[in-house]
Amino acid sequence: MKPILLQGHERSITQIKYNREGDLLFTVAKDPIVNVWYSVNGERLGTYMGHTGAVWCVDADWDTKHVLTGSADNSCRLWDCETGKQLALLKTNSAVRTCGFDFGGNIIMFSTDKQMGYQCFVSFFDLRDPSQIDNNEPYMKIPCNDSKITSAVWGPLGECIIAGHEGGELNQYSAKSGEVLVNVKEHSRQINDIQLSRDMTMFVTASKDNTAKLFDSTTLEHQKTFRTERPVNSAALSPNYDHVVLGGGQEAMDVTTTSTRIGKFEARFFHLAFEEEFGRVKGHFGPINSVAFHPDGKRGRCQKGRHRRVQTAPTAAPPQTPATAGTGDPTATRSPGRGE
C-alpha cells in the first residue's frame, strides 16, 4: 500500500470527515485552518479562512453545499462549500466542541464546553429562519448540568442527537423538545468519539477507558465491546464489511518519551461480531486522533505528525483501509484502493 501524503496543517489534527459521496475530505486541526481535499488524488481544493483558534469539529451537509465548523475561538461558522464564503457566524460563550447538520441539512446543532464559568449547552438553529442566525438566537438550547459533551452526532431521521459525555455517559436528546429520551453509562471514562454506521442503525463509541463499544442507535442498547490496552481516541464502522477500526495511543504528554512500538500507535482492526482483532496498520509516530472510512469502504485517510516519513505495514491486511489522523502534525495520508 502506497499512501498519499497530505500537508495542510501546522498543528495536530482534531477531526477528519468525508462528504456523503466520498469525493471530498475535510480536515481540521488545532490551528485556525479548515482544509478540503480531493479524496481521489490528495489535491487540496482550498481552505476556509476566518477562525482565530483551534478548530475542533467539521461537518458537511447531505449535498455538500454547506460546511459547518466549530472552534475554540468561541464561534460556530457556516460556509459555502464551493466558494469558501462565510455565510453565518454564531458566537458562543465558550469553545464549540461538536457540530453537525441534520439529515435534511436544514437544522444544525452544536455543543459548547463547560469552561470559564459557563455551562455546557447544545444549541439548535433552523437555517430556514434567517432571524435565528441574525439574532444569534437558537430555537432550542439544552443545558448539560453534570459533565460536558465531548462528542455528539445526529440520530436516525434527525429526530434526536446522541451525545457522549466527559464522565462516560451516553444521552439521547430529543431534537423537538430537548428532553433526555435515553440515558446509559457503559464507559467509565470520557467518550472521545461517536460514529454512526452507514444505515444509522448502530454507532460505535471510543473512550479513554481503553475500549470502543457498539450500540443500537434507537435504544442505546450495548451490543459489543472492543478492548485495547491504550486510550481509544476514535473508532469507525466499515460501510461494506463487519469491521471496526480503532485509533488511539497513550496520552500526548507521554509520547515524546516513548518509542513508536511501546506507544502502540497502530490503527487496529476488529471483527464486528466476534470482537476479535485481526489486523493492524503501523506508521504513526504519535497517537491517532481521528479515523474515517471512505463511503465506498475501500479507501481511507490518515493524518500524520510533522517531519516524518509515512508508511503503512498491515500485519493482516483488511479488505479496506480507513483514514486515520495522528497528533502533532500537518500531514495526511491515504492508502489507495484497487484500480487507483
Side-chain angles (χ1 to χ4, degrees):
M1 284 182 285
K2 183 181 179 181
I4 296 176
L5 181 66
L6 310 180
Q7 292 182 307
H9 290 285
E10 297 176 349
R11 298 193 63 194
S12 58
I13 304 298
T14 52
Q15 188 177 24
I16 57 177
K17 183 164 286 190
Y18 284 102
N19 66 338
R20 182 176 63 90
E21 293 87 354
D23 58 330
L24 299 181
L25 176 75
F26 298 89
T27 63
V28 292
K30 291 180 180 178
D31 56 30
I33 302 171
V34 181
N35 283 320
V36 57
W37 316 77
Y38 273 125
S39 65
V40 67
N41 59 7
E43 177 186 351
R44 181 160 66 173
L45 266 173
T47 58
Y48 303 93
M49 304 298 293
H51 283 295
T52 57
V55 185
W56 292 113
C57 53
V58 63
D59 194 25
D61 62 6
W62 177 262
D63 52 7
T64 323
K65 287 185 178 180
H66 299 137
V67 178
L68 188 68
T69 56
S71 171
D73 64 4
N74 297 359
S75 74
C76 185
R77 300 176 192 239
L78 182 70
W79 312 84
D80 183 286
C81 182
E82 184 178 0
T83 65
K85 180 183 177 181
Q86 180 178 297
L87 303 177
L89 168 61
L90 303 172
K91 294 185 178 180
T92 61
N93 292 321
S94 56
V96 177
R97 182 66 56 172
T98 65
C99 66
F101 290 95
D102 75 335
F103 193 74
N106 295 318
I107 298 176
I108 62 172
M109 70 86 184
F110 60 84
S111 68
T112 55
D113 279 353
K114 183 179 180 180
Q115 60 183 193
M116 299 183 295
Y118 292 104
Q119 195 175 1
C120 170
F121 285 98
V122 184
S123 299
F124 294 82
F125 286 83
D126 192 330
L127 300 179
R128 294 166 295 187
D129 183 0
S131 65
Q132 293 184 22
I133 305 298
D134 296 339
N135 300 325
N136 200 17
E137 286 292 335
Y139 75 83
M140 185 169 62
K141 202 171 184 179
I142 306 173
C144 303
N145 300 319
D146 299 327
S147 60
K148 73 174 184 179
I149 292 176
T150 50
S151 184
V153 295
W154 281 93
L157 304 177
E159 295 177 346
C160 63
I161 66 165
I162 301 166
H165 292 256
E166 191 175 31
E169 305 92 354
L170 273 173
N171 283 324
Q172 188 183 84
Y173 295 98
S174 170
K176 295 181 179 179
S177 65
E179 65 177 319
V180 178
L181 302 176
V182 187
N183 171 266
V184 298
K185 184 173 181 180
E186 295 289 344
H187 287 288
S188 59
R189 297 186 64 189
Q190 175 177 310
I191 297 174
N192 293 320
D193 189 26
I194 299 175
Q195 293 197 36
L196 288 161
S197 62
R198 188 169 190 173
D199 60 5
M200 302 183 79
T201 60
M202 301 180 297
F203 67 91
V204 64
T205 59
S207 172
K208 282 187 175 182
D209 64 6
N210 299 0
T211 67
K213 299 191 177 188
L214 187 72
F215 293 87
D216 181 275
S217 297
T218 304
T219 64
L220 299 194
E221 181 183 355
H222 176 222
Q223 306 285 343
K224 302 288 181 179
T225 299
F226 312 97
R227 303 182 186 279
T228 69
E229 63 284 345
R230 71 308 180 55
V232 184
N233 294 333
S234 184
L237 296 165
S238 168
N240 293 350
Y241 302 94
D242 292 331
H243 296 166
V244 184
V245 63
L246 276 58
Q250 68 179 144
E251 298 292 342
M253 67 180 69
D254 301 322
V255 169
T256 55
T257 59
T258 306
S259 72
T260 57
R261 180 176 57 84
I262 299 174
K264 303 183 185 300
F265 304 135
E266 307 98 340
R268 303 175 65 169
F269 291 85
F270 287 79
H271 193 280
L272 185 68
F274 303 126
E275 305 175 333
E276 295 177 352
E277 183 181 355
F278 65 87
R280 298 188 184 189
V281 175
K282 299 179 181 179
H284 288 283
F285 289 164
I288 297 171
N289 284 344
S290 184
V291 297
F293 276 102
H294 188 279
D296 68 9
K298 299 176 182 178
R299 295 174 283 175
R301 289 283 171 184
C302 161
Q303 310 286 344
K304 304 284 184 184
R306 297 180 66 181
H307 312 305
R308 59 162 299 179
R309 184 171 64 90
V310 179
Q311 59 184 359
T312 58
T315 56
Q320 68 286 326
T321 304
T324 59
T327 62
D329 165 47
T331 63
T333 65
R334 181 182 64 79
S335 300
R338 294 182 180 178
E340 289 190 64

